[in-house]
Amino acid sequence: ILFCLDEEGVVYKSEEEFCRQRLSEENLAITNKVFAWGHEQCRVMKEFSQENQHKFVITGNARMDLLRPEFRGFFQKKRDRIRDQFGPYVLIPSNFSAPNHACGPNFIVEQFKACGYAEGEEELALLAERISYQRRIFESFLEMLPVLSHRFPQINFVVRPHPGDNHEVWQKSVESLPNVFSVFEGSSTAWIMGAEAIIHNSCTSAVEGSALGVPIIAYMPEVDE
């Protein structure tokens, strides 16, 4: 028996792109049930595959359910240990694996080509432009860290690298800053729960933080519509 839930199903740039990048008739054929975040995602999936409509079920996401007040105790001990170690801290989650990937700067482009996510000159050009934009945002975050460190010496700042990041880049960026740390450890939820605030750009940690009542700061040094 095979069940599936798309962790990235809560938001997508367009229905066409979601269907092309996240769904395939081949995979649906061997899947017993596909769980949907909500009505909109379920509708899009049903329109994509008429013959598999009976497999799509609206369930929400158990990971998000754990953020409800009655379940937060599951993360409380870990949250308390983090606070004991770092005191009051601001969390900075990374969402920059495209320009800072552990497998190299060209990995995302090669993956998109291999999977058929970007075909033709126009789509490849758009992908290159998107990654270039993300690289500029990423570099702005690196420049932000010493500013925060010096302006707010009484507060600790914790960078949480993305799983796909080159973590060494983050480590080097904080090594001379006494109150800034790069830590990739345990569930992100406990780190979000313990934070005084979150500084991010297009990161789903902000969605979780909002559900947990943590103040959210979207740092947008540059905006691309």
Side-chain angles (χ1 to χ4, degrees), residues 1-10 18 23 28 31-39 41-43 45 52-62:
I1 297 175
L2 181 62
F3 297 147
C4 176
L5 185 146
D6 187 346
E7 271 292 285
E8 303 295 333
V10 67
F18 172 79
L23 298 172
L28 290 173
T31 304
N32 297 86
K33 294 292 181 183
V34 180
F35 302 145
W37 280 73
H39 293 278
Q41 187 196 12
C42 191
R43 175 189 62 79
M45 292 193 293
N52 288 295
Q53 291 206 10
H54 63 287
K55 296 184 178 182
F56 302 118
V57 183
I58 299 172
T59 60
N61 188 321

CSV table of all heavy atoms in Angstrom, one decimal, residues 1-10 18 23 28 31-39 41-43 45 52-62:
chain,number,residue,atom,x,y,z
A,1,ILE,N,0.9,-1.2,0.0
A,1,ILE,CA,0.0,0.0,0.0
A,1,ILE,C,0.9,1.2,0.0
A,1,ILE,O,1.8,1.3,0.8
A,1,ILE,CB,-0.9,0.0,1.2
A,1,ILE,CG1,-1.9,-1.2,1.2
A,1,ILE,CG2,-1.7,1.3,1.3
A,1,ILE,CD1,-2.8,-1.3,2.4
A,2,LEU,N,0.6,2.2,-0.9
A,2,LEU,CA,1.4,3.4,-1.0
A,2,LEU,C,0.5,4.6,-0.9
A,2,LEU,O,-0.4,4.8,-1.7
A,2,LEU,CB,2.1,3.4,-2.3
A,2,LEU,CG,3.0,4.6,-2.6
A,2,LEU,CD1,4.2,4.6,-1.6
A,2,LEU,CD2,3.6,4.5,-4.0
A,3,PHE,N,0.8,5.5,0.1
A,3,PHE,CA,0.1,6.7,0.3
A,3,PHE,C,1.1,7.9,0.0
A,3,PHE,O,2.3,7.7,0.2
A,3,PHE,CB,-0.5,6.9,1.7
A,3,PHE,CG,-1.5,5.9,2.1
A,3,PHE,CD1,-1.7,5.4,3.4
A,3,PHE,CD2,-2.4,5.4,1.1
A,3,PHE,CE1,-2.6,4.5,3.7
A,3,PHE,CE2,-3.4,4.5,1.4
A,3,PHE,CZ,-3.5,4.0,2.7
A,4,CYS,N,0.6,9.0,-0.4
A,4,CYS,CA,1.5,10.1,-0.7
A,4,CYS,C,0.8,11.4,-0.3
A,4,CYS,O,-0.4,11.6,-0.4
A,4,CYS,CB,1.7,10.2,-2.2
A,4,CYS,SG,2.6,11.6,-2.8
A,5,LEU,N,1.7,12.3,0.3
A,5,LEU,CA,1.3,13.7,0.6
A,5,LEU,C,2.4,14.6,0.2
A,5,LEU,O,3.6,14.4,0.6
A,5,LEU,CB,1.0,13.9,2.1
A,5,LEU,CG,0.5,15.2,2.5
A,5,LEU,CD1,-0.5,15.1,3.7
A,5,LEU,CD2,1.6,16.2,2.9
A,6,ASP,N,2.1,15.6,-0.6
A,6,ASP,CA,3.1,16.5,-1.1
A,6,ASP,C,3.4,17.6,-0.1
A,6,ASP,O,2.5,18.4,0.2
A,6,ASP,CB,2.6,17.2,-2.4
A,6,ASP,CG,3.7,18.0,-3.1
A,6,ASP,OD1,4.7,18.3,-2.5
A,6,ASP,OD2,3.5,18.4,-4.3
A,7,GLU,N,4.6,17.6,0.5
A,7,GLU,CA,5.0,18.6,1.5
A,7,GLU,C,4.9,20.0,1.0
A,7,GLU,O,4.7,20.9,1.7
A,7,GLU,CB,6.4,18.3,2.0
A,7,GLU,CG,6.4,17.3,3.2
A,7,GLU,CD,5.8,17.9,4.4
A,7,GLU,OE1,6.4,18.7,5.1
A,7,GLU,OE2,4.6,17.5,4.8
A,8,GLU,N,5.1,20.2,-0.3
A,8,GLU,CA,5.1,21.5,-0.9
A,8,GLU,C,3.8,21.8,-1.6
A,8,GLU,O,3.7,22.8,-2.4
A,8,GLU,CB,6.2,21.6,-2.0
A,8,GLU,CG,7.6,21.3,-1.5
A,8,GLU,CD,8.1,22.3,-0.4
A,8,GLU,OE1,7.7,23.5,-0.5
A,8,GLU,OE2,8.9,21.9,0.4
A,9,GLY,N,2.7,21.1,-1.2
A,9,GLY,CA,1.5,21.3,-1.9
A,9,GLY,C,0.6,22.5,-1.4
A,9,GLY,O,-0.4,22.7,-2.0
A,10,VAL,N,1.1,23.2,-0.4
A,10,VAL,CA,0.3,24.3,0.1
A,10,VAL,C,0.4,25.5,-0.8
A,10,VAL,O,-0.5,26.3,-0.8
A,10,VAL,CB,0.8,24.6,1.6
A,10,VAL,CG1,2.2,25.2,1.6
A,10,VAL,CG2,-0.2,25.5,2.2
A,18,PHE,N,2.6,23.4,-11.2
A,18,PHE,CA,2.4,22.4,-10.1
A,18,PHE,C,2.2,21.0,-10.7
A,18,PHE,O,2.8,20.0,-10.3
A,18,PHE,CB,1.2,22.8,-9.3
A,18,PHE,CG,0.8,21.7,-8.3
A,18,PHE,CD1,1.5,21.5,-7.1
A,18,PHE,CD2,-0.2,20.8,-8.5
A,18,PHE,CE1,1.2,20.5,-6.2
A,18,PHE,CE2,-0.6,19.9,-7.6
A,18,PHE,CZ,0.1,19.7,-6.5
A,23,LEU,N,3.3,16.1,-10.3
A,23,LEU,CA,2.4,15.0,-10.6
A,23,LEU,C,2.8,14.2,-11.8
A,23,LEU,O,3.4,14.8,-12.7
A,23,LEU,CB,0.9,15.5,-10.8
A,23,LEU,CG,0.2,16.2,-9.6
A,23,LEU,CD1,-1.1,16.8,-10.1
A,23,LEU,CD2,0.0,15.3,-8.5
A,28,LEU,N,1.0,8.1,-10.1
A,28,LEU,CA,-0.4,8.0,-9.6
A,28,LEU,C,-0.9,6.6,-9.8
A,28,LEU,O,-1.7,6.0,-9.0
A,28,LEU,CB,-1.3,9.0,-10.3
A,28,LEU,CG,-1.1,10.4,-10.0
A,28,LEU,CD1,-2.0,11.3,-10.9
A,28,LEU,CD2,-1.5,10.7,-8.5
A,31,THR,N,0.0,4.5,-6.8
A,31,THR,CA,-0.3,5.0,-5.5
A,31,THR,C,-1.8,4.7,-5.2
A,31,THR,O,-2.7,4.9,-6.0
A,31,THR,CB,-0.1,6.6,-5.6
A,31,THR,OG1,1.2,6.9,-6.0
A,31,THR,CG2,-0.4,7.2,-4.2
A,32,ASN,N,-2.0,4.3,-3.9
A,32,ASN,CA,-3.4,4.0,-3.5
A,32,ASN,C,-4.2,5.2,-3.2
A,32,ASN,O,-5.3,5.3,-3.5
A,32,ASN,CB,-3.3,3.0,-2.3
A,32,ASN,CG,-2.6,1.7,-2.6
A,32,ASN,OD1,-1.4,1.6,-2.5
A,32,ASN,ND2,-3.4,0.7,-3.0
A,33,LYS,N,-3.6,6.1,-2.4
A,33,LYS,CA,-4.2,7.4,-2.0
A,33,LYS,C,-3.2,8.5,-2.1
A,33,LYS,O,-2.1,8.4,-1.8
A,33,LYS,CB,-4.8,7.3,-0.6
A,33,LYS,CG,-6.0,6.3,-0.5
A,33,LYS,CD,-7.2,6.7,-1.2
A,33,LYS,CE,-8.4,5.7,-1.0
A,33,LYS,NZ,-9.6,6.1,-1.9
A,34,VAL,N,-3.7,9.7,-2.5
A,34,VAL,CA,-2.9,10.9,-2.5
A,34,VAL,C,-3.6,11.9,-1.6
A,34,VAL,O,-4.8,12.3,-1.8
A,34,VAL,CB,-2.8,11.5,-3.9
A,34,VAL,CG1,-1.9,12.8,-3.8
A,34,VAL,CG2,-2.1,10.5,-4.8
A,35,PHE,N,-3.0,12.3,-0.5
A,35,PHE,CA,-3.6,13.3,0.5
A,35,PHE,C,-3.4,14.7,0.0
A,35,PHE,O,-2.3,15.1,-0.4
A,35,PHE,CB,-3.0,13.0,1.9
A,35,PHE,CG,-3.2,11.6,2.4
A,35,PHE,CD1,-2.2,11.0,3.2
A,35,PHE,CD2,-4.3,10.9,2.1
A,35,PHE,CE1,-2.3,9.8,3.6
A,35,PHE,CE2,-4.4,9.6,2.5
A,35,PHE,CZ,-3.5,9.0,3.3
A,36,ALA,N,-4.4,15.5,0.2
A,36,ALA,CA,-4.3,16.9,-0.2
A,36,ALA,C,-4.4,17.9,1.0
A,36,ALA,O,-5.1,17.6,1.9
A,36,ALA,CB,-5.5,17.2,-1.2
A,37,TRP,N,-3.7,19.0,0.9
A,37,TRP,CA,-3.7,20.0,1.9
A,37,TRP,C,-5.1,20.6,2.1
A,37,TRP,O,-5.5,20.9,3.2
A,37,TRP,CB,-2.7,21.1,1.5
A,37,TRP,CG,-1.3,20.9,1.8
A,37,TRP,CD1,-0.5,20.1,1.1
A,37,TRP,CD2,-0.5,21.5,2.8
A,37,TRP,NE1,0.8,20.1,1.6
A,37,TRP,CE2,0.8,20.9,2.7
A,37,TRP,CE3,-0.7,22.4,3.9
A,37,TRP,CZ2,1.9,21.3,3.5
A,37,TRP,CZ3,0.3,22.7,4.7
A,37,TRP,CH2,1.6,22.2,4.5
A,38,GLY,N,-5.8,20.8,0.9
A,38,GLY,CA,-7.1,21.4,1.0
A,38,GLY,C,-7.9,21.3,-0.3
A,38,GLY,O,-7.5,20.5,-1.2
A,39,HIS,N,-9.0,22.0,-0.4
A,39,HIS,CA,-9.9,21.9,-1.5
A,39,HIS,C,-9.2,22.3,-2.8
A,39,HIS,O,-9.4,21.7,-3.9
A,39,HIS,CB,-11.1,22.7,-1.3
A,39,HIS,CG,-12.0,22.2,-0.2
A,39,HIS,ND1,-12.9,21.1,-0.3
A,39,HIS,CD2,-12.1,22.5,1.1
A,39,HIS,CE1,-13.5,20.9,0.8
A,39,HIS,NE2,-13.0,21.7,1.7
A,41,GLN,N,-5.9,22.4,-3.8
A,41,GLN,CA,-5.0,21.4,-4.3
A,41,GLN,C,-5.7,20.1,-4.8
A,41,GLN,O,-5.3,19.6,-5.9
A,41,GLN,CB,-3.9,21.0,-3.2
A,41,GLN,CG,-2.8,20.1,-3.8
A,41,GLN,CD,-2.0,19.4,-2.7
A,41,GLN,OE1,-2.4,19.4,-1.6
A,41,GLN,NE2,-0.9,18.8,-3.1
A,42,CYS,N,-6.7,19.7,-4.1
A,42,CYS,CA,-7.4,18.5,-4.5
A,42,CYS,C,-8.1,18.7,-5.9
A,42,CYS,O,-8.1,17.9,-6.8
A,42,CYS,CB,-8.5,18.2,-3.5
A,42,CYS,SG,-9.3,16.5,-3.7
A,43,ARG,N,-8.7,19.9,-6.1
A,43,ARG,CA,-9.3,20.3,-7.3
A,43,ARG,C,-8.3,20.2,-8.5
A,43,ARG,O,-8.6,19.6,-9.5
A,43,ARG,CB,-10.0,21.7,-7.3
A,43,ARG,CG,-10.5,22.1,-8.6
A,43,ARG,CD,-11.0,23.6,-8.6
A,43,ARG,NE,-9.9,24.5,-8.3
A,43,ARG,CZ,-9.0,24.9,-9.3
A,43,ARG,NH1,-9.1,24.4,-10.5
A,43,ARG,NH2,-8.0,25.7,-9.0
A,45,MET,N,-5.5,18.5,-8.7
A,45,MET,CA,-5.1,17.2,-8.9
A,45,MET,C,-6.2,16.4,-9.7
A,45,MET,O,-5.9,15.6,-10.6
A,45,MET,CB,-4.7,16.5,-7.6
A,45,MET,CG,-3.4,17.1,-7.0
A,45,MET,SD,-2.7,16.1,-5.7
A,45,MET,CE,-3.9,16.3,-4.4
A,52,ASN,N,-8.0,9.0,-12.0
A,52,ASN,CA,-7.5,8.7,-10.6
A,52,ASN,C,-8.2,9.6,-9.6
A,52,ASN,O,-7.7,9.7,-8.4
A,52,ASN,CB,-6.0,8.9,-10.5
A,52,ASN,CG,-5.2,7.8,-11.2
A,52,ASN,OD1,-5.2,6.7,-10.8
A,52,ASN,ND2,-4.5,8.2,-12.3
A,53,GLN,N,-9.4,10.1,-9.9
A,53,GLN,CA,-10.0,11.1,-9.0
A,53,GLN,C,-10.4,10.4,-7.7
A,53,GLN,O,-10.4,11.1,-6.6
A,53,GLN,CB,-11.3,11.6,-9.7
A,53,GLN,CG,-11.0,12.5,-10.8
A,53,GLN,CD,-12.2,13.5,-11.1
A,53,GLN,OE1,-13.1,13.6,-10.3
A,53,GLN,NE2,-12.1,14.2,-12.2
A,54,HIS,N,-10.7,9.1,-7.7
A,54,HIS,CA,-11.1,8.4,-6.5
A,54,HIS,C,-9.9,8.3,-5.5
A,54,HIS,O,-10.1,8.0,-4.3
A,54,HIS,CB,-11.6,7.0,-6.8
A,54,HIS,CG,-10.6,6.1,-7.4
A,54,HIS,ND1,-10.1,6.3,-8.7
A,54,HIS,CD2,-9.8,5.1,-6.9
A,54,HIS,CE1,-9.2,5.4,-9.0
A,54,HIS,NE2,-9.0,4.6,-7.9
A,55,LYS,N,-8.7,8.6,-5.9
A,55,LYS,CA,-7.5,8.4,-5.1
A,55,LYS,C,-7.2,9.7,-4.2
A,55,LYS,O,-6.4,9.7,-3.3
A,55,LYS,CB,-6.3,8.1,-5.9
A,55,LYS,CG,-6.4,6.7,-6.6
A,55,LYS,CD,-5.1,6.4,-7.3
A,55,LYS,CE,-5.1,5.0,-7.9
A,55,LYS,NZ,-3.9,4.7,-8.6
A,56,PHE,N,-7.8,10.8,-4.6
A,56,PHE,CA,-7.4,12.1,-4.0
A,56,PHE,C,-8.3,12.3,-2.8
A,56,PHE,O,-9.6,12.3,-2.9
A,56,PHE,CB,-7.6,13.3,-5.0
A,56,PHE,CG,-6.7,13.1,-6.2
A,56,PHE,CD1,-7.2,13.0,-7.5
A,56,PHE,CD2,-5.3,13.0,-6.0
A,56,PHE,CE1,-6.4,12.8,-8.6
A,56,PHE,CE2,-4.5,12.9,-7.2
A,56,PHE,CZ,-5.0,12.8,-8.4
A,57,VAL,N,-7.7,12.6,-1.6
A,57,VAL,CA,-8.5,12.7,-0.4
A,57,VAL,C,-8.0,14.0,0.4
A,57,VAL,O,-6.8,14.2,0.5
A,57,VAL,CB,-8.3,11.5,0.6
A,57,VAL,CG1,-9.1,11.7,1.8
A,57,VAL,CG2,-8.6,10.2,-0.2
A,58,ILE,N,-8.9,14.8,0.8
A,58,ILE,CA,-8.5,16.0,1.5
A,58,ILE,C,-8.3,15.6,3.0
A,58,ILE,O,-9.2,15.2,3.7
A,58,ILE,CB,-9.6,17.1,1.4
A,58,ILE,CG1,-9.8,17.5,0.0
A,58,ILE,CG2,-9.2,18.3,2.3
A,58,ILE,CD1,-11.0,18.4,-0.2
A,59,THR,N,-7.1,15.8,3.5
A,59,THR,CA,-6.7,15.4,4.8
A,59,THR,C,-6.1,16.5,5.6
A,59,THR,O,-6.0,16.5,6.9
A,59,THR,CB,-5.7,14.2,4.8
A,59,THR,OG1,-4.5,14.6,4.2
A,59,THR,CG2,-6.3,13.0,4.2
A,60,GLY,N,-5.6,17.6,4.9
A,60,GLY,CA,-4.7,18.5,5.6
A,60,GLY,C,-3.3,17.9,5.7
A,60,GLY,O,-3.0,16.9,5.1
A,61,ASN,N,-2.5,18.4,6.6
A,61,ASN,CA,-1.1,18.0,6.8
A,61,ASN,C,-0.9,17.7,8.3
A,61,ASN,O,-1.0,18.6,9.1
A,61,ASN,CB,-0.2,19.0,6.2
A,61,ASN,CG,1.3,18.5,6.2
A,61,ASN,OD1,1.7,17.8,7.1
A,61,ASN,ND2,2.0,18.8,5.1
A,62,ALA,N,-0.5,16.5,8.6
A,62,ALA,CA,-0.3,16.2,10.0
A,62,ALA,C,0.8,17.0,10.6
A,62,ALA,O,0.8,17.3,11.8
A,62,ALA,CB,0.1,14.7,10.1
